[in-house]
Structure formats: structure tokens, C-alpha cells
Amino acid sequence: MSVRCALTTQASLLCSGTYDKMSQTGGSGGGTIRFKEELMHGGNAGLDKMVAKLEPIKQQFPDISYADLYTLAGVTAIEAAGGPKVPWRAGRVDAMDPSAVTPDGRCARPLRSWPLALSSGRLLLAAF
């Protein structure tokens, strides 16, 4: 798996992993990884590179939300790395400011377990 695929997949998993069912906050819906406040979270180290790489695509296709762009990039990276076809659909709405950024440490899955999930489609899908 290329570094670019790994970073994009990591970003998608981290974004999704911040969802809190009780408060219905977090997750990949707001595209908040683009805000410096979320990029500074410990688990997000290095993801600024992925955000920067996707920015020209966002500029080329301004009608796609950041949230949709990041999740689409994630499922594309999983498939490009030989993983399963992950169902995806558009419709996420971007948060307009950093107030929607969740607290650091909220991600439900420890990062060190994700390489195992990436090596098997079944494990990846079981993680969610």
C-alpha cells in the first residue's frame, strides 16, 4: 500500500471513528479534518499532507463537500490497495467552522489495530 493510500485510509477511518451515537456528533459528516484544530489531534499526525493533496481536487470540483471528498478518497484508497469495494454515497454537509471539531482522543479504535483491518476486507468491515 502506498503512503498516500495509507494516509487517505487512515484519515477516513479516524473521521468515521469519532462518531458518538449518544450525542450524534463527530464522524465524517462535517469534513472537519480540514480545520487545524482537528489536525492537531494526536492521532491525526501527518494527515495535513492528505488534506493538502485533496485541496486541488476540491478546487476543481467545488460542488462536492469536503466531507464527501474525504470519504470518497478513503473508499477509493481502500479499493486501490486491493481491499473490498466499500459502499459510498454522497450527501454529507460540511461544518462551516471549527466549533464542530470533536475533542481529541475520541476515536473509538486504536490506530495500531488498523493495519490488521486494512489487510483483510472482512476485518475492515467488522471494525464498523
Side-chain angles (χ1 to χ4, degrees):
M1 176 185 299
S2 76
V3 172
R4 194 171 296 163
C5 279
L7 282 174
T8 305
T9 304
Q10 178 184 352
S12 295
L13 292 171
L14 284 168
C15 290
S16 298
T18 62
Y19 181 71
D20 178 65
K21 187 175 181 177
M22 294 289 281
S23 65
Q24 296 187 0
T25 59
S28 57
T32 55
I33 192 71
R34 73 188 188 280
F35 296 123
K36 67 178 179 174
E37 291 83 354
E38 187 162 334
L39 284 169
M40 292 177 6
H41 290 182
N44 294 340
L47 296 185
D48 56 325
K49 293 171 183 60
M50 183 276 308
V51 170
K53 290 279 185 197
L54 292 175
E55 188 59 32
I57 297 170
K58 172 64 173 158
Q59 297 308 310
Q60 186 177 357
F61 301 98
D63 291 339
I64 190 171
S65 68
Y66 281 103
D68 278 348
L69 176 62
Y70 299 151
T71 57
L72 180 59
V75 300
T76 302
I78 290 168
E79 290 178 33
K85 182 165 179 55
V86 178
W88 182 89
R89 65 178 182 201
R92 293 161 192 82
V93 177
D94 286 335
M96 292 294 112
D97 61 64
S99 66
V101 172
T102 58
D104 192 5
R106 190 185 227 189
C107 193
R109 301 271 179 197
L111 184 60
R112 66 182 168 273
S113 70
W114 291 352
L116 292 174
L118 294 177
S119 67
S120 165
R122 287 188 201 139
L123 287 174
L124 176 65
L125 295 175
F128 296 97

